[in-house]
Amino acid sequence: MARFKQKLSGLLPVIGLLVVFAIFTAAGGSKFLSGRNLNLILNQSFTVMVVAIGVTMIHAHGGIDFSVGAVLALSEMLAALAYKQTGAPVVLIVVTVLVAVICGLITGMITVKLRIPPFISSLCMQFACRGIVNTVLQARSIGVTEIKEPGLGVKLPVLIGLAVIVFCILEFTKIGKYNKAIGENIKAAKSSGVNVDIYRIAAYLICGVAIGIAAYFDLLRNGVMSTNVGYGLEMRVIIAVVLGGLSLSGGYTATMKSAVVGSLLIIIIINGLTIVGVPNTYTGIIQGIIFLFVILFTYKRDRLGLLPR
Amino acid sequence: MSEVLLSVHKINKQFGPTTALRDVDFTLCRGEVHGLIGENGSGKSTLTSIIAGIRGADSGEMFKEGNPYKPASVVEAQNLGVAMIVQEMGTAPDILVAENIFLGKEKRYSRFGLVSKKALNKAAADALGKIGAGAIPAGAPTFKLNPEDRKLVELAKAMYEEPDVLIIDETTTALSNDGRKLLYNAVEKMQSEDKGVIFISHDLEELMSVCTIMTVLRDGDIIGTLTKDEFDESVIKSMMVGRELTGNYYRNDYDGVRGEEAVLRAEHLTGAEMVEDVSFELHAGEILGFGGLANGGIHELGRLLFGIDSAIVGSVTLADGTHIKDASTAVKNHMGYVSKNRDEEAIMLNASIRNNVVLPSLSKLVKGGLVAGGREKALTDKAICSLEVKCQSMEQLTRYLSGGNKQKVVFGKWLGNDSEILILDCPTRGVDVGVKQSMYRLMYDLKLSGCAIVLISEELAELIGMSDRLYILKNGKINGEFARSPELTEQDVIHAMI
Ligand SMILES: Nc1ncnc2c1ncn2[C@@H]1O[C@H](COP(=O)(O)OP(=O)(O)OP(=O)(O)O)[C@@H](O)[C@H]1O
Ligand SMILES: [Mg+2]
C-alpha cells in the first residue's frame, strides 16, 4: 500500500498533464488541438524546458536559481553584439553558452565559497545581468533577422539530446549522484567524502550550458534582442519543476521527468487559458496561484507535522 | 499481581509485505518497569509507537485502566497519560527548545491567539529543571544543542505531563553517564509513584538491572515474558534469536599484534572544543580504542581525525605525508568514518539503502565516466547480506528501516570501500547482540587483513574486548593508555576516566 502510494505520487504530474490536456481539448476543441497550436506549445515550452532541465541539477543539491532569465538575456545580447561585429553565425552559440557558463560559475562560486544562500546570490546575479543589459541596450533592440529560425526538426532533437545527456549525468555519474546526496543530507555527503563545493559548482556550470543553448534558440526565434527578453522565466521554470514533482529542498526527487513534464504542464496551462479566452494579463496571477497550491501541497506546514511519526 | 495499567490485545501491523506485529498481546501493570527486547526489526518500536499514538494499528484493541484506548495522535496520547521518548531524534531542529517541549500545546500559553514567548520559556525551563537538566537553555534554537541534550529535552517534555505510562525507546545509547542518571531517576520516580514504564534497549545488563519484568519479541511475535527472578542472559538471548548464540562475542587473542607501519599520526591535535594536545600513532592491523566519558572529547577526536572539524593546533598525517584537512581528502586516502550522530550526519533518510551504501564508493564504481548499476547492486547486496539488514529490498528508503537496521546501513557503507583506516564512533549503537557479534567479527577480519581501526566507544566492555591498545581521554587529554590483556578490567580503566 505504501509502495503503491509512493508510485502514485510519482505519477501524479503525468496524470496532471493528461488531465490538463484533456480539459483544454474539451474546452478549446479544435483550436487547442490544431497543428499550429501544438507547434506553438512545443516552441513555447522549448526555452522553459531546456532551462528547467539544466536547473534540475541545481535543485538536486537543494539550490535555487533566480538568475536564469537575466542570464539568458545577457547571453543573447552579448551574442547578438558579437554577431554584429563578426557576421559569423557560429559566434552566436559560442557566445551564448560561454556567457551563461561564466555567469553560472560566478553564481556558484559566490554561493559555495562565500556561503551565501543561493536565492540571494542568484538574485544578485539577476540584478547584475539585467543592469548590464539595460545599460547597454537603453531602449534599443538588436536584430539578428538574417538567420532563419531553426524549425522543430532541429529543436526537438536538440531538446531530446540535452534531456538524455542531463538524465545520464543525473542518474549515472558522480556529479548527479553527489548533487542529489548533497540535497538529501549535506552532512552525510561530506562525511562520505563528497567534495560538496566542487560538485555544487559543477551543477551551476551544467545549468549554464543549458541556459546558453536556450538563449541561442530564443534569440533566433525572436529575431531581435530587446530588454524584455527572459522576463519571468525564472518563476516559470521554478513552477515547472515543482509541478513536475521535484522538492525544492533537493535530493533524490530531482529527476529529468519533473523538468520535462512540469514544463509542458505550465506551458499548456498558459496556452490553454489563452485559447479559451482568458486575457493574457491574468495568466501571471494564475501562475502565482498554481505555485502557491503546489507549495502548500508539497511542504509540510502543519506544526503537528513536526511531531515524530 | 498489581493493577493492570495498560493492555493491548491482538495488535497487528503490516508495512507492505513486512509483518511488523502479529497478534501481539502485552500488559503493563502499575509499578512495573517493563523491558522490551528483541532483534533489530522485531517490532519493538512499532508496538510502542502504536501505544504512544504515533501510528495506528491495522487491527486489535488497547485498554488503559480498563477503558478502551485508541489515541489518534501523539498529543491525544499525552493527554491520556502516555508519553514516549522515541528512538530517533524526536525534536524538530528549527524551532526553540521551549517550542519543542510544548509542541501542539502552545495554546496553553497563548492569550488572544498569540503565544507568549515568556510564559512558554518559563514553563520549559521549569520542565527541564524538574528532570535535573536545568542547564539546557529553554530559549535556544534546538539545532544548537548536542544530540544528548536533545534527548533530555524529550525526557523533560515527556515527564512534564506527569504521564502514567512512560515509554523509553533505545535512548540510553544516546546519553552519557550523567544523562543516563537523569533517565534512571525519571524511571525510579515513575516506579515510586506506582506508574508504568516501558523500557527498550539492546543492553541486556542494563535491562536486567533497570527492569522488573521483560518481554521478548521476535519477528513481530511475542515469544515470552520473564519476571525478575527468571532473568538469565543466555535464556533471553536464545529467546531473542531463536537459537543458541555460539562463538566468541569479542575476540579471544591477547597478543595485541599489529603491523610495523604507522599509517596515521596525530600530533598535538587540538580542536575548537574539548580535544587538547592529543598525539598518537595508529598502526596497520591495529584496533586502537578510545574511551572516556561522553563529554571527555572522544567524539570530537573522531571528527578531527577524519577532517570533518579542523584542528586549531596540530595535525593528522598519513604514512605518505598527506595532511587530512577535510573529509574528502580522508576518503580519497582510503579512510572511512561512522558518525555517532547517525540521523543527522551519516544517513540519508529519504534515499534508498543502495544510494546510502554506495555513496562513499562511487569513485571506485565508475567505468568510462558512468557508475555501473550492476556494481552498485553487488556492493549493496554484500553489505545487506553480511550485516543481515532487515529490509524489503535495497531500493527501500532508509527512513522505513528500524533503528538498528539504519545503523547497519551506515556501517555497511564502509565495508565494500576497501578502506585502510576506519574511524568508528559507536559503531554498534542500537544493534542487537547477534549483529553486534557479526560486527565485531567483521572488525577483527578487517584488522587481520591489515586495516587500521580507531574504535571510539562509551561501552568499556566493547573497548576492552576489541582493542589492541586503549587510550582514555579525560577533559580532552589522554589520561591513560592500556595494552591488550586478559587481566584488564573495567575498574582499571574507570580509574583513568574520572
Ligand atoms: N514506516 C515503515 N515502513 C515500512 N516498514 C517499516 C516501517 N517502520 C518499521 N518497518 C519495518 O517493521 C519492522 C519492525 O520495525 P521496528 O522499528 O518496530 O523494529 P525494532 O524492534 O524497533 O528494531 P530496532 O532494534 O532496530 O530499533 C522492521 O522490519 C521494519 O523494517
Ligand atoms: Mg526500534
Side-chain angles (χ1 to χ4, degrees):
Chain A
M1 190 57 201
R3 182 168 283 200
F4 174 71
K5 265 191 195 154
Q6 213 174 322
K7 275 248 166 68
L8 188 73
S9 72
L11 279 179
L12 217 54
V14 180
I15 296 170
L17 182 61
L18 293 177
V19 169
V20 168
F21 201 85
I23 290 176
F24 286 125
T25 308
S30 55
K31 228 166 136 196
F32 179 73
L33 271 187
S34 70
R36 247 189 69 199
N37 192 47
L38 292 183
N39 199 318
L40 185 69
I41 289 180
L42 282 177
N43 266 312
Q44 287 176 334
S45 336
F46 184 83
T47 309
V48 174
M49 212 183 282
V50 168
V51 176
I53 287 170
V55 152
T56 300
M57 291 299 300
I58 295 176
H59 284 297
H61 71 232
I64 198 162
D65 194 342
F66 284 120
S67 71
V68 295
V71 170
L72 183 97
L74 181 68
S75 22
E76 285 191 29
M77 184 191 76
L78 293 180
L81 289 174
Y83 172 69
K84 285 280 170 218
Q85 289 286 314
T86 58
V90 64
V91 166
L92 287 176
I93 182 77
V94 172
V95 175
T96 51
V97 171
L98 203 65
V99 172
V101 168
I102 292 172
C103 290
L105 181 67
I106 296 173
T107 316
M109 295 287 270
I110 293 177
T111 311
V112 169
K113 293 290 177 195
L114 303 183
R115 293 165 200 258
I116 290 179
F119 75 94
I120 306 255
S121 54
S122 64
L123 269 182
C124 294
M125 195 49 153
Q126 182 193 52
F127 286 127
C129 293
R130 281 285 168 210
I132 299 174
V133 170
N134 290 336
T135 316
V136 174
L137 283 186
Q138 307 287 348
R140 278 185 309 143
S141 57
I142 313 167
V144 274
T145 39
E146 304 83 6
I147 310 174
K148 219 175 121 281
E149 185 207 349
L152 282 180
V154 178
K155 284 164 99 169
L156 269 186
V158 168
L159 181 65
I160 294 170
L162 186 75
V164 169
I165 291 173
V166 179
F167 171 80
C168 289
I169 294 178
L170 201 58
E171 301 299 326
F172 302 119
T173 68
K174 285 207 288 184
I175 300 182
K177 283 169 181 277
Y178 283 168
N179 269 292
K180 287 191 279 189
I182 293 167
E184 201 59 65
N185 183 344
I186 188 165
K187 285 184 183 166
K190 264 190 200 162
S191 70
S192 299
V194 177
N195 190 330
V196 295
D197 289 358
I198 287 183
Y199 284 94
R200 277 188 292 174
I201 292 175
Y204 280 94
L205 298 183
I206 292 170
C207 181
V209 174
I211 298 174
I213 293 172
Y216 172 76
F217 286 100
D218 190 58
L219 180 58
L220 293 190
R221 180 170 165 78
N222 297 334
V224 309
M225 167 61 210
S226 61
T227 47
N228 61 5
V229 159
Y231 257 116
L233 181 63
E234 43 281 322
M235 277 328 276
R236 229 168 297 142
V237 168
I238 290 172
I239 297 172
V241 290
V242 172
L243 270 181
L246 178 145
S247 147
L248 283 184
S249 55
Y252 289 84
T253 55
T255 57
M256 200 39 33
K257 193 188 75 204
S258 25
V260 173
V261 174
S263 312
L264 279 174
L265 247 176
I266 188 68
I267 295 296
I268 288 178
I269 291 173
I270 297 174
N271 172 287
L273 288 174
T274 317
I275 295 266
V276 297
V278 176
N280 250 331
T281 40
Y282 288 179
T283 51
I285 304 175
I286 292 171
Q287 281 182 61
I289 295 171
I290 295 173
F291 190 52
L292 184 68
F293 267 94
V294 175
I295 293 294
L296 284 184
F297 266 112
T298 50
Y299 258 57
K300 281 186 253 148
R301 21 169 213 120
D302 196 340
R303 284 224 142 177
L304 289 177
L306 296 171
L307 288 167
R309 252 184 302 180
Chain B
M1 190 124 162
S2 55
E3 193 188 331
V4 172
L5 184 53
L6 180 110
S7 67
V8 309
H9 186 57
K10 291 223 175 309
I11 294 271
N12 281 284
K13 181 74 187 178
Q14 194 85 22
F15 292 109
T18 314
T19 305
L21 296 174
R22 194 179 297 114
D23 284 338
V24 166
D25 290 333
F26 177 81
T27 308
L28 177 71
C29 295
R30 284 199 175 276
E32 261 181 17
V33 180
H34 200 138
L36 263 188
I37 190 164
E39 292 184 287
N40 296 132
S42 54
K44 304 179 296 294
S45 300
T46 308
L47 175 62
T48 44
S49 64
I50 290 171
I51 296 174
I54 295 171
R55 61 180 94 232
D58 295 344
S59 66
E61 307 166 284
M62 299 193 276
F63 300 92
K64 187 161 175 286
E65 294 161 299
N67 305 316
Y69 165 77
K70 196 168 190 246
S73 70
V74 183
V75 175
E76 195 184 322
Q78 279 168 0
N79 292 338
L80 292 170
V82 177
M84 175 164 175
I85 303 172
V86 295
Q87 186 173 14
E88 272 67 39
M89 276 291 167
T91 46
D94 296 326
I95 58 180
L96 302 183
V97 170
E99 290 175 310
N100 261 310
I101 293 182
F102 296 107
L103 200 58
K105 299 169 203 142
E106 297 89 344
K107 280 221 177 69
R108 285 187 212 160
Y109 303 95
S110 72
R111 267 204 299 174
F112 315 119
L114 285 178
V115 177
S116 156
K117 270 258 153 67
K118 221 166 133 190
L120 197 68
N121 280 351
K122 198 169 158 290
D126 189 30
L128 288 162
K130 263 190 174 167
I131 63 152
I136 299 175
T142 310
F143 69 86
K144 290 228 167 126
L145 303 188
N146 63 33
E148 161 165 23
D149 286 350
R150 284 175 67 174
K151 273 290 154 201
L152 292 177
V153 169
E154 274 182 72
L155 177 64
K157 173 184 179 161
M159 290 304 285
Y160 191 67
E161 298 296 318
E162 305 194 336
D164 303 326
V165 177
L166 175 66
I167 304 169
I168 300 167
D169 188 356
E170 188 63 49
T171 299
T172 25
T173 50
L175 298 176
S176 67
N177 288 6
D178 293 343
R180 282 178 199 199
K181 262 183 215 135
L182 300 185
L183 187 74
Y184 298 145
N185 285 345
V187 170
E188 262 164 38
K189 180 162 180 279
M190 293 288 294
Q191 206 178 355
S192 67
E193 291 170 4
D194 217 25
K195 296 172 172 178
V197 177
I198 303 177
F199 197 94
I200 301 176
S201 165
H202 285 287
D203 185 343
L204 254 178
E205 252 172 65
E206 178 189 29
L207 281 176
M208 296 203 295
S209 77
V210 175
C211 301
T212 57
I213 182 168
M214 209 184 298
T215 292
V216 183
L217 269 168
R218 191 201 311 149
D219 282 333
D221 294 310
I222 299 277
I223 299 300
T225 299
L226 304 173
T227 52
K228 189 130 195 155
D229 49 314
E230 297 168 319
F231 287 179
D232 177 276
E233 205 174 316
S234 60
V235 171
I236 298 173
K237 277 188 188 167
S238 61
M239 280 171 85
M240 275 171 66
V241 295
R243 62 188 150 82
E244 292 285 325
L245 275 179
T246 50
N248 283 315
Y249 197 52
Y250 303 117
R251 39 190 279 216
N252 61 347
D253 62 304
Y254 284 99
D255 42 18
V257 228
R258 58 174 192 186
E260 284 293 296
E261 183 199 9
V263 289
L264 180 142
R265 198 169 270 130
E267 274 159 315
H268 306 294
L269 205 54
T270 303
E273 318 166 61
M274 288 317 294
V275 181
E276 213 180 310
D277 198 26
V278 170
S279 303
F280 66 89
E281 276 184 0
L282 174 69
H283 284 242
E286 175 179 45
I287 300 179
L288 179 57
F290 276 92
L293 299 177
N295 52 6
I298 45 176
H299 308 299
E300 288 79 5
L301 178 66
R303 303 169 64 85
L304 287 174
L305 291 178
F306 193 66
I308 292 182
D309 294 339
S310 33
I312 302 177
V313 180
S315 63
V316 179
T317 33
L318 303 182
D320 62 1
T322 316
H323 277 273
I324 300 300
K325 57 179 199 308
D326 55 27
S328 71
T329 313
V331 174
K332 232 177 254 149
N333 289 284
H334 308 286
M335 287 178 72
Y337 172 64
V338 170
S339 164
K340 188 191 176 196
N341 191 357
R342 177 182 67 219
D343 287 4
E344 289 195 345
E345 285 188 347
I347 201 166
M348 301 184 287
L349 288 171
N350 290 315
S352 62
I353 299 173
R354 161 151 84 147
N355 280 324
N356 270 289
V357 169
V358 300
L359 191 60
S361 312
L362 283 178
S363 298
K364 299 183 187 74
L365 303 177
V366 171
K367 222 179 190 177
L370 300 182
V371 180
R375 291 164 148 209
E376 275 193 5
K377 285 198 178 117
L379 190 82
T380 314
D381 251 335
K382 201 179 127 197
I384 289 179
C385 288
S386 61
L387 292 169
E388 304 163 49
V389 179
K390 201 174 167 199
C391 59
Q392 289 167 12
S393 78
M394 67 171 72
E395 306 303 336
Q396 193 176 13
L397 300 188
T398 52
R399 69 172 320 118
Y400 298 128
L401 296 181
S402 80
N405 283 296
K406 284 180 200 156
Q407 184 67 21
K408 296 182 207 170
V409 169
V410 172
F411 194 80
K413 281 165 73 166
W414 303 102
L415 279 185
N417 184 265
D418 306 323
S419 303
E420 288 160 14
I421 302 172
L422 285 177
I423 317 282
L424 307 177
D425 193 352
C426 302
T428 61
R429 213 185 130 197
V431 301
D432 64 55
V433 278
V435 177
K436 256 190 191 169
Q437 192 179 9
S438 359
M439 282 186 175
Y440 295 139
R441 183 80 230 163
L442 283 168
M443 281 185 222
Y444 189 57
D445 289 346
L446 283 168
K447 164 195 154 76
L448 292 183
S449 70
C451 180
I453 297 176
V454 171
L455 176 62
I456 298 169
S457 174
E458 288 164 30
E459 271 183 62
L460 286 181
E462 171 174 285
L463 286 171
I464 295 172
M466 290 306 293
S467 321
D468 289 303
R469 259 186 319 147
L470 174 59
Y471 281 118
I472 297 299
L473 289 196
K474 184 181 163 188
N475 298 328
K477 290 186 196 141
I478 293 185
N479 196 42
E481 183 182 350
F482 301 88
R484 181 168 187 78
S485 134
E487 275 92 53
L488 189 61
T489 65
E490 296 197 14
Q491 281 313 314
D492 305 336
V493 178
I494 288 175
H495 243 51
M497 283 167 58
I498 45 182

